Amino acid sequence: MSHTGPALLAALAASIGLIIVLCGRFRLHPFLAIVLSTYAFGLLAMGIGARSGAPPA
């Protein structure tokens, strides 16, 4: 059994930080910032799962 919880929590915090930076610093529309951070979180989560040896869903 793999323990990916802390890594996924860090990825979630990074995606929330990305939303804040994209909205505040780059003045991107909030909807676009959420879409981009969701995509980035998905890629990070897939990478974390691949590194832990979990089979793809």
Side-chain angles (χ1 to χ4, degrees):
M1 179 161 186
S2 64
H3 300 284
T4 59
L8 288 174
L9 282 175
L12 181 62
S15 67
I16 292 171
L18 182 64
I19 292 171
I20 293 169
V21 168
L22 288 175
C23 287
R25 179 101 169 150
F26 296 109
R27 301 287 181 203
L28 197 63
H29 191 275
F31 178 76
L32 221 56
I34 291 171
V35 168
L36 287 174
S37 76
T38 302
Y39 184 73
F41 177 77
L43 290 177
L44 279 172
M46 283 185 358
I48 291 168
R51 288 188 102 197
S52 73

